[in-house]
Amino acid sequence: PEARPAKDAVVVGLDLHETVIPRHGGETVARRFKSEIHEETGLTASVGVAASKLVAKVASDMRKPDGLVLKWHEKVPGL
């Protein structure tokens, strides 16, 4: 069998309460992460931004390999 590159995942928990950072602050941080990952490694990243780690992970899986999905209060199908 052919060798395939490993898939890596990173979970970053940030406190983005609306009282501290406006809701769009999560998108700004996510875009910065994607940009810095690409600049440093040449790789793309899929990022999910949500109120919980589980929903963020599911959201990031929705737009692989180079997506950005915001799911603040919407329901993710199947959850």
Side-chain angles (χ1 to χ4, degrees), residues 11-78:
V11 175
V12 177
L14 299 174
D15 187 358
L16 296 176
H17 291 331
E18 291 184 45
T19 57
V20 178
I21 298 175
R23 192 154 95 170
H24 59 80
E27 180 177 1
T28 301
V29 171
R31 289 190 186 284
R32 177 182 266 167
F33 280 161
K34 288 177 58 64
S35 176
E36 289 184 13
I37 289 168
H38 191 264
E39 287 174 15
E40 294 288 324
T41 68
L43 300 173
T44 61
S46 292
V47 177
V49 178
S52 74
K53 290 178 189 176
L54 174 63
V55 175
K57 171 66 177 130
V58 171
S60 73
D61 288 344
M62 294 169 69
R63 295 264 167 74
K64 287 195 179 281
D66 188 24
L68 173 60
V69 179
L70 305 172
K71 290 289 182 186
W72 284 101
H73 299 291
E74 302 92 13
K75 293 190 180 226
V76 174

